[in-house]
Amino acid sequence: MNEPARIPGASSSPIPTAEELGFDPDELRDKYNFERDRRLRKDGEAQYETTDDDLYYYNDDPYITERIERDPINDEIEVAILGGGFGGLYMAARLQEAGIRDFRIIERGGDFGGTWYWNRYPGAQCDVESYIYLPLLEETGYMPKEKYSFGPEIREHAQRVAKHYDLYPRSLLQTQIKNLQWDDEDCRWTVTTDRGDVLRARHVVVSSGSLNRPKLPGLPGLRDFRGHTFHTSRWDYDYTGGSATGGLDKLGDKRVGIIGTGATGIQCISHLGATAKQLYVFQRTPSSIDLRGNSPTDPQWYASQKTGWQIDRNDNFTKLLMGLDVEEDLVNDGWTDIFKSLGDLMDGTGNSDLTVDELRQLGEIVDFKRDNRIRGRVADTVKDGQTAEALKHYYRPWCKRPTFNDEYLPTFNRPNVTLVDTAGKGVQRVTEAGVVVDGVEYELDCLIFATGFEVSRATYTHQADLEIIGRGGVKLGDHWADGMRTYQGLMSYGFPNCYHMGFTQTGYTPNFTYMLENQSRHLATMFVDAKARGYTALEPTAEAEADWLALVSAPNQMTDYLKACTPGYYNAEGNAKSNSDGFLQGHYPEGGLRFYEMLAEWRAKGDYDGLTVR
Ligand code: NDP
């Protein structure tokens, strides 16, 4: 067992003093609290406007060049997969490898890729290393061009996977599911779509993503703006010119405003700044922006990887993020850096002989040091002192998605780019001509919303237009009226053979591909096993579901951490009272790695513990 590390210079107490640190943690904590408090709002998540009804056009697919004309399909299949993103692709691949070939993927978009199909904004890039993020690299034999892939390469790769597994003939693209209805006698789901299709499926896997429905700020005058407007997840290249790599050449005579400086805003703003006549960046809360440091892939290194390397690398990354010992940090980037410092406080097995309170204090100091470094980066890069100050974040790394980018900050040194900092208050209102902040109207030709996606509704019903009707005619939306209820994060009582892929109520990891890889393996293995045993329906018991909910909702260190955070979708806009509030809707307390180990142990036991089987 390794000795837990001590901060150098600290004598008897493991907690260093302000003098030893060179900054005062109490002062910094006060500043973080001040910044949080001035952003708290009573309306929380209700502050946003959904893109329904007269705003539904913000959801329209701008990328379809030709509508697929086809007759309705009537089919009997083993598995219906909802969504052609990474989850759907993984599910299809693992089913096929397990010998199940009668499945269909139903996807609203015109092609595969999910979030990468929709998010084609300039600069879109994966912030997790491509070698662990791009699915099925070994299976397809593909080498990512760079350590962090850009959107077009990722979308192409999704298509590559679909071709590799011959998924196009078994997929219904440009097709929206309307209803899923359970037939309790036949133990099958009936899936109906907006194309008149009727599919009868033994199992239904819902993998439609949880950040898929664009949301807008509920601002007075939102509908009054007379200029051009769109959401970043439906980028209008006809208007801006250029492509996902930039060169937005039609903006040279345009005054452009963008609301939102989250992970998306950070990536597209440098491209807007490069070509717009004038760019106004309306900021409520700055992101933390660490070094990206992208680099091309070394083909020799890539070719030297041994069979099974992608899963091994992913395990290595996930272990590091849990504070476990690994021989080598294979990914070695900004993500592992956040956790390595925390891991240094542990003994290599995820434990420590420090007290819980000492660990909490040291964890905070590690975060403060990182935050100070990142704020230093802003000061070193942005020339105007006031702008630089406004771009510094004052909240801990897990309050919002940490970002990594090397082009965003220098953009504010351009003469045509103005940061309109709203001091945590947000934009005041929209007018016919532009946007008002602090009584000043900024006239715009184009207003872009980088304001993110609905979280709660998306995870409750997955798609606003989709109705899932289970045993006894109960609607999933009603079963989840007070929040998501699952067993193992995957299934719900009253909804046999229906599985939800995703991070909610499962074991969290920032690499969603790791999660989807493991969940698809789990489900495919279970389907094959259940079939071999002659089981036609698998459904969690009410008790198993209640126990799971209690487990994932139980308070833990993360609860207090999130409560102290600046508002955002991670903590239900500052209103998270328990673990089941916020975007995870509760999470497996031992983390991602242990969660999937637990599922493997559950499968190995073979007694379908927690489920009623028929
Ligand atoms: P976010 O929800 O993260 O950000 C929305 C932005 O809009 C925030 O900056 C928010 O400010 C701002 N905003 C909302 N309302 C107002 C208002 N009234 N006035 C001013 N500003 C406002 O959405 P994103 O699209 O940026 O990111 C969503 C998620 O997608 C990420 O968290 C990440 O998980 C994923 N993503 C991943 C990427 C990757 O590289 N893998 C890249 C891009 C996105 P405030 O912070 O104050 O709420």
Side-chain angles (χ1 to χ4, degrees):
M1 190 159 112
N2 299 335
E3 273 295 298
R6 292 281 186 268
I7 303 275
S11 47
S12 55
S13 164
I15 313 297
T17 63
E19 209 178 12
E20 287 162 349
L21 286 168
F23 65 88
D24 184 346
D26 293 336
E27 264 176 30
L28 211 43
R29 194 178 314 109
D30 286 347
K31 169 75 174 159
Y32 282 26
N33 287 338
F34 168 78
E35 292 294 339
R36 177 201 59 208
D37 291 348
R38 67 173 176 162
R39 287 175 170 80
L40 283 174
R41 321 170 27 138
K42 284 210 176 67
D43 53 0
E45 287 176 320
Q47 69 182 277
Y48 295 105
E49 182 98 40
T50 59
T51 47
D52 293 317
D53 306 322
D54 63 320
L55 295 174
Y56 189 81
Y57 65 91
Y58 278 98
N59 282 286
D60 287 345
D61 187 339
Y63 314 122
I64 290 179
T65 46
E66 209 178 324
R67 183 179 147 89
I68 300 169
E69 297 300 343
R70 63 170 178 82
D71 292 330
I73 283 171
N74 222 306
D75 211 354
E76 181 115 351
I77 50 178
E78 187 69 10
V79 187
I81 302 171
L82 278 58
F86 282 9
L89 290 170
Y90 258 120
M91 196 63 240
R94 296 308 177 214
L95 283 177
Q96 196 147 306
E97 286 161 5
I100 300 179
R101 289 191 58 87
D102 55 337
F103 58 80
R104 277 197 190 269
I105 300 178
I106 304 117
E107 165 59 51
R108 183 184 163 216
D111 212 323
F112 293 93
T115 198
W116 298 101
Y117 173 84
W118 295 107
N119 286 282
R120 301 192 195 187
Y121 58 83
Q125 186 185 28
C126 168
D127 64 3
V128 171
E129 192 198 59
S130 56
Y131 315 128
I132 56 169
Y133 182 76
L134 264 60
L136 302 153
L137 285 175
E138 286 189 79
E139 288 83 345
T140 54
Y142 182 68
M143 180 186 86
K145 292 179 197 150
E146 289 159 295
K147 190 168 168 79
Y148 303 97
S149 297
F150 284 94
E153 185 185 12
I154 304 177
R155 198 153 45 84
E156 263 174 39
H157 184 65
Q159 294 163 357
R160 177 178 299 107
V161 171
K163 283 178 201 144
H164 182 84
Y165 287 93
D166 197 24
L167 301 182
Y168 281 95
R170 282 173 290 164
S171 299
L172 304 174
L173 301 174
Q174 293 184 20
T175 302
Q176 176 119 22
I177 309 247
K178 293 314 272 181
N179 251 310
L180 296 179
Q181 172 104 41
W182 174 249
D183 174 346
D184 208 39
E185 259 176 39
D186 206 18
C187 289
R188 281 181 186 275
W189 286 93
T190 302
V191 182
T192 53
T193 76
D194 65 348
R195 298 297 195 109
D197 308 306
V198 180
L199 306 173
R200 306 260 302 154
R202 175 74 68 207
H203 302 280
V204 169
V205 178
V206 184
S207 182
S208 47
S210 47
L211 293 175
N212 62 7
R213 185 92 173 185
K215 73 179 189 303
L216 303 174
L219 299 170
L222 183 67
R223 291 165 174 82
D224 297 344
F225 183 60
R226 294 280 160 260
H228 197 74
T229 175
F230 56 89
H231 187 272
T232 44
S233 64
R234 308 287 189 274
W235 196 272
D236 188 349
Y237 284 106
D238 283 345
Y239 180 84
T240 64
S243 69
T245 56
L248 310 175
D249 54 7
K250 292 187 182 170
L251 295 182
D253 58 352
K254 301 283 188 298
R255 298 159 301 173
V256 179
I258 181 163
I259 302 181
T261 51
T264 298
I266 297 309
Q267 293 183 338
C268 65
I269 279 169
S270 58
H271 294 283
L272 292 169
T275 50
K277 178 179 163 201
Q278 172 66 42
L279 175 67
Y280 295 105
V281 178
F282 299 102
Q283 172 185 275
R284 187 165 67 180
T285 309
S287 278
S288 73
I289 307 162
D290 207 347
L291 186 75
R292 172 68 304 164
N294 203 3
S295 54
T297 307
D298 172 356
Q300 270 185 330
W301 165 79
Y302 198 76
S304 72
Q305 301 300 308
K306 306 246 170 0
T307 307
W309 69 266
Q310 196 180 18
I311 288 181
D312 289 348
R313 197 172 177 91
N314 239 316
D315 280 346
N316 176 278
F317 178 77
T318 311
K319 273 185 186 156
L320 256 166
L321 267 52
M322 286 183 63
L324 300 180
D325 249 358
V326 292
E327 261 180 37
E328 190 189 348
D329 174 2
L330 296 173
V331 171
N332 194 17
D333 71 354
W335 287 105
T336 59
D337 185 54
I338 300 179
F339 286 90
K340 257 191 307 197
S341 332
L342 281 177
D344 288 347
L345 305 175
M346 317 295 260
D347 67 1
T349 63
N351 299 312
S352 169
D353 65 1
L354 296 166
T355 65
V356 171
D357 196 51
E358 284 170 344
L359 268 177
R360 186 191 53 72
Q361 288 186 64
L362 287 171
E364 187 187 49
I365 287 171
V366 166
D367 283 359
F368 283 163
K369 283 182 169 178
R370 174 181 185 271
D371 292 345
N372 281 339
R373 178 176 58 75
I374 289 173
R375 285 188 287 265
R377 229 185 135 225
V378 180
D380 291 346
T381 313
V382 178
K383 291 188 186 131
D384 176 69
Q386 206 179 337
T387 306
E389 196 47 46
L391 285 165
K392 293 179 184 170
H393 79 285
Y394 288 96
Y395 50 83
R396 292 181 66 183
W398 292 109
C399 294
K400 289 182 181 287
R401 179 101 180 169
T403 73
F404 307 88
N405 189 286
D406 301 335
E407 288 81 33
Y408 176 74
L409 293 172
T411 299
F412 292 96
N413 294 330
R414 287 179 176 272
N416 63 325
V417 177
T418 307
L419 179 74
V420 183
D421 182 46
T422 64
K425 296 279 170 251
V427 163
Q428 214 173 330
R429 63 193 156 88
V430 179
T431 64
E432 282 191 12
V435 154
V436 178
V437 173
D438 208 13
V440 178
E441 185 180 48
Y442 296 84
E443 290 193 2
L444 304 171
D445 299 301
C446 176
L447 176 58
I448 302 173
F449 291 100
T451 44
F453 304 87
E454 276 186 51
V455 176
S456 300
R457 183 173 61 164
T459 45
Y460 287 180
T461 57
H462 287 275
Q463 285 181 11
D465 315 307
L466 165 63
E467 195 90 84
I468 302 183
I469 304 163
R471 210 164 34 76
V474 176
K475 292 179 181 167
L476 187 66
D478 291 337
H479 185 58
W480 287 358
D482 296 326
M484 197 174 173
R485 305 177 61 83
T486 67
Y487 176 54
Q488 299 176 336
L490 298 168
M491 305 178 71
S492 285
Y493 171 65
F495 298 83
N497 294 4
C498 179
Y499 315 86
H500 307 272
M501 292 178 91
F503 49 72
T504 42
Q505 302 190 352
T506 59
Y508 183 67
T509 160
N511 185 12
F512 287 11
T513 309
Y514 175 82
M515 160 187 97
L516 298 169
E517 148 78 11
N518 277 289
Q519 292 180 3
S520 58
R521 270 184 197 282
H522 172 69
L523 294 178
T525 313
M526 188 168 77
F527 295 167
V528 171
D529 184 74
K531 197 171 184 184
R533 293 168 189 244
Y535 296 162
T536 52
L538 310 175
E539 179 189 344
T541 63
E543 296 73 38
E545 185 186 81
D547 289 350
W548 189 260
L549 198 59
L551 177 76
V552 297
S553 317
N556 59 34
Q557 277 177 320
M558 216 39 210
T559 319
D560 291 335
Y561 186 109
L562 283 177
K563 276 190 197 164
C565 275
T566 194
Y569 73 85
Y570 279 26
N571 68 351
E573 300 296 335
N575 291 332
K577 307 249 174 324
S578 76
N579 264 350
S580 36
D581 300 324
F583 86 122
L584 289 179
Q585 314 270 315
H587 59 275
Y588 187 67
E590 292 177 53
L593 194 79
R594 270 297 302 140
F595 174 73
Y596 295 108
E597 284 173 359
M598 181 280 294
L599 284 187
E601 286 157 17
W602 180 90
R603 285 197 307 272
K605 256 181 28 193
D607 60 359
Y608 286 70
D609 186 27
L611 301 187
T612 306
V613 295
R614 279 192 260 166

